[in-house]
């Protein structure tokens, strides 16, 4: 998870890494997504860095590791349990009627 959020977050703040880790954690808790970390991370069409598989060779930053510990070990989620989607804040905020905007954290917008 730390490798994935490190690559997906592109040098963001600890808060932005915690939000990404919260999305993965929330998906693991949901019956709408796979129930293993590996299956959530590799689910088709979900994380852009997985398509390139470049994240597997990256060394996660201290901030990414701390965010994973905070969310997965200490249970300090920064997003509500129904927030399971995100996209770059450089894109349009609208996601149609299928997703409800929650907040922007770092370079990503989060949705339920």
């Amino acid at each position: 998870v730390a490798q994935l959020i490190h690559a997906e977050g592109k040098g963001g703040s600890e808060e932005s890494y915690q939000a990404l880790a919260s999305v993965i954690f929330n998906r693991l808790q949901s019956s709408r997504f796979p129930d293993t970390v590996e299956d959530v991370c590799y689910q088709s069409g979900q994380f852009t860095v997985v398509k390139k598989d470049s994240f597997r060779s990256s060394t996660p930053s201290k901030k990414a590791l701390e965010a994973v510990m905070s969310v997965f070990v200490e249970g300090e989620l920064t997003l509500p349990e129904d927030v399971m989607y995100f996209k770059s804040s450089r894109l349009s905020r609208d996601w149609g009627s299928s997703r409800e905007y929650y907040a922007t954290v770092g370079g990503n917008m989060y949705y339920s």
Side-chain angles (χ1 to χ4, degrees), residues 4 7-8 10 45-55 86:
L4 177 65
E8 196 73 50
K10 298 180 182 126
Q46 299 301 307
F47 298 99
T48 56
V49 296
V50 170
K51 291 178 192 173
K52 302 171 190 165
D53 204 35
S54 59
F55 79 98
F86 70 96

Side-chain angles (χ1 to χ4, degrees), residues 57-77:
S57 62
S58 69
T59 301
S61 65
K62 181 179 178 185
K63 287 189 286 188
L65 290 167
E66 288 173 351
V68 170
M69 291 297 291
S70 176
V71 170
F72 281 81
V73 176
E74 298 165 12
E76 296 178 9
L77 280 76

Side-chain angles (χ1 to χ4, degrees), residues 82-96:
D82 65 335
V83 176
M84 293 182 264
Y85 305 93
F86 70 96
K87 66 179 181 176
S88 172
S89 60
R90 293 179 296 206
L91 302 173
S92 166
R93 184 169 142 177
D94 183 48
W95 202 327

Side-chain angles (χ1 to χ4, degrees), residues 1-19:
V1 173
Q3 286 175 306
L4 177 65
I5 67 170
H6 173 79
E8 196 73 50
K10 298 180 182 126
S13 66
E14 187 171 342
E15 181 184 29
S16 66
Y17 285 136
Q18 284 180 315

